[in-house]
Structures are given as structure tokens and as C-alpha cells.
């Protein structure tokens, strides 16, 4: 609730009443909370590599304690097998390093607080309250939020669209930005065709959607 409140405070400060929301992992959890508790603010919702209830809830306070004691560097070694597939690490080492640097730069308390929020997060019985048009995206090889866990979100939200991206793990948007951005652009086009114009040519599409979504 606090993290979702931060999102609302930001858009309020920007003078934005209603908005399209896309989030990855905990960003997707925040999006589900917004959809459940602040439906009047969302034009659409996109949830990537997330869960309505994350796995191993008892492990998250342990992770929080580890990070408070040792810093986020303690998480770095385990991320390559979770965040992206080996092929991506081999082919794009500079992008891998950029993502790991982002983790290293995250404050201990910020990371630990998010772990504690994840530990108690459970909206499985409330997904039916989400009325915003919703796209749900899973990475086919994601060990953190496996396909069936992500599919459960789509199953619980009436009328949602579910997409599985092959050759991708947890940071599906960073590994496979083209199919993720294509699905997002098509979703926005369906939700608000008067606001979003998706051009037909592939060159124009790449130009428009070249940057990975950050969530």
C-alpha cells in the first residue's frame, strides 16, 4: 500500500489524473494493488513477471536481514540465473553489468523494505476486482515467477490478455524488449487508440519501442 501510494503521489505531483501503468516483478505487484484499490485511476494495467502471491514467503524476511547486514552485493551472485538466461549473459555482458550495477546501487534499507512487503503480499482473492484492461506477461524460463504463477494473475483478472515470451527469465523486458514492447504497444492501442498510434512498418515500430520498459 505504501509503494502504491508513492506511485499516486508522483502522478498527482505531475498533474496526471488517469494513467496507463506497467510494472515488472514488484512493480507488477504494485500495479495489481493499484488496480484493486484505485481502479478509478488506471486506464490500463500491464503486469510482467510478477505474482499475486510470491513464492516462499518465509524466505523474504531472511533475505531482508541478509541485505541489511551485508548490502545488496550479497544478492549479485544469484541474479544471473534468475534475472536472465545464460545465452543473454553471454551475448550481452555489458547489459548484464548495467543491470547488476543497478542492484549494487540500491540502498540496503530500500531493498530490505521491499522484501518485507513481498513477504506479506497476497491479492489472489482480490484479482477479480481489477477492471482496467490488463496485459500479463511471463518469461518462459523465469525461475522467480514461473509461467504458472504469472498465468494465475491473468486467470484471476476478467478479460485479461496473457503472453509468454520465449527465451526469457525474470527481467523479461530487458532480455526480450522487442516482443514485450510489441505486446505493450498493441495493448495500449486496444485500450486507447486515440492516444496511441502504432505504425505498421517494422522500422517505425523499432524506433518507437526500442527502450526496455523499466518497472
Amino acid at each position: 500500500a505504501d509503494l502504491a501510494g508513492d506511485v499516486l503521489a508522483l502522478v498527482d505531483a505531475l498533474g496526471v489524473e488517469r494513467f496507463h501503468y506497467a510494472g515488472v516483478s514488484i512493480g507488477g505487484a504494485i500495479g495489481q494493488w493499484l488496480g484493486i484499490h484505485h481502479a478509478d485511476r488506471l486506464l490500463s494495467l500491464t503486469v510482467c513477471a510478477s505474482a499475486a502471491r510470491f513464492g516462499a514467503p518465509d524466505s523474504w524476511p531472511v533475505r531482508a536481514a541478509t541485505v541489511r547486514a551485508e548490502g545488496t552485493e550479497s544478492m549479485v551472485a544469484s541474479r544471473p540465473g534468475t534475472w536472465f538466461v545464460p545465452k543473454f549473459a553471454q551475448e550481452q555482458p555489458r547489459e548484464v553489468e548495467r543491470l547488476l550495477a543497478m542492484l549494487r546501487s540500491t540502498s540496503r534499507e530500500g531493498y530490505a523494505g521491499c522484501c518485507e512487503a513481498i513477504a506479506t503480499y497476497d491479492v489472489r482473492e482480490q484479482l477479480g476486482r481489477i477492471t482496467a484492461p490488463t496485459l500479463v506477461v511471463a518469461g518462459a524460463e523465469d525461475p522467480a515467477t514461473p509461467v504458472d504463477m504469472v498465468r494465475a494473475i491473468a486467470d484471476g483478472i476478467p478479460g485479461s490478455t496473457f503472453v509468454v515470451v520465449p527465451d526469457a527469465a525474470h527481467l523479461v523486458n530487458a532480455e526480450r524488449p522487442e516482443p514485450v514492447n510489441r505486446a505493450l504497444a498493441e495493448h495500449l492501442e486496444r485500450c486507447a487508440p486515440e492516444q496511441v498510434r502504432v505504425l505498421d512498418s517494422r522500422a517505425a515500430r523499432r524506433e518507437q519501442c526500442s527502450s526496455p520498459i523499466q518497472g
Side-chain angles (χ1 to χ4, degrees):
D2 289 346
L3 293 167
D6 289 342
V7 173
L8 295 177
L10 172 61
V11 294
D12 287 346
L14 294 172
V16 176
E17 178 61 29
R18 302 188 70 211
F19 53 93
H20 301 276
Y21 181 94
V24 180
S25 192
I26 191 172
I30 294 167
Q32 292 169 73
W33 185 273
L34 288 168
I36 292 165
H37 296 280
H38 302 280
D40 59 318
R41 302 297 298 273
L42 294 188
L43 292 168
S44 74
L45 173 62
T46 299
V47 177
C48 298
S50 191
R53 173 61 160 159
F54 288 88
D58 292 342
S59 71
W60 292 99
V62 175
R63 183 186 294 197
T66 299
V67 168
R68 284 193 174 103
E70 303 175 18
T72 54
E73 183 67 36
S74 61
M75 295 290 104
V76 169
S78 64
R79 295 309 87 193
T82 302
W83 278 3
F84 32 76
V85 297
K87 181 180 178 181
F88 179 80
Q90 295 166 5
E91 295 180 351
Q92 301 201 47
R94 293 181 64 181
E95 178 65 2
V96 167
E97 186 51 42
R98 184 187 73 82
L99 294 168
L100 294 177
M102 178 178 64
L103 174 59
R104 289 186 172 103
S105 69
T106 301
S107 73
R108 298 184 184 203
E109 190 55 37
Y111 190 100
C114 287
C115 289
E116 290 168 343
I118 288 172
T120 59
Y121 180 80
D122 187 354
V123 297
R124 289 173 293 181
E125 300 303 317
Q126 303 173 67
L127 290 175
R129 293 169 55 186
I130 296 177
T131 57
T134 301
L135 169 67
V136 181
V137 179
E141 299 181 45
D142 182 358
T145 53
V147 171
D148 286 347
M149 184 180 290
V150 185
R151 191 194 311 274
I153 301 171
D155 289 345
I157 300 175
S160 65
T161 300
F162 182 56
V163 174
V164 178
V165 178
D167 302 319
H170 193 54
L171 292 189
V172 56
N173 60 304
E175 280 189 288
R176 301 293 311 280
E178 290 188 1
V180 172
N181 286 336
R182 182 166 58 249
L184 177 58
E186 291 170 353
H187 176 55
L188 296 177
E189 174 72 5
R190 290 191 298 269
C191 297
E194 73 285 358
Q195 296 176 346
V196 181
R197 294 291 179 263
V198 181
L199 303 180
D200 289 336
S201 75
R202 290 187 177 182
R205 187 185 292 276
R206 285 195 299 268
E207 178 74 16
Q208 184 178 9
C209 301
S210 58
S211 299
I213 312 156
Q214 297 302 317

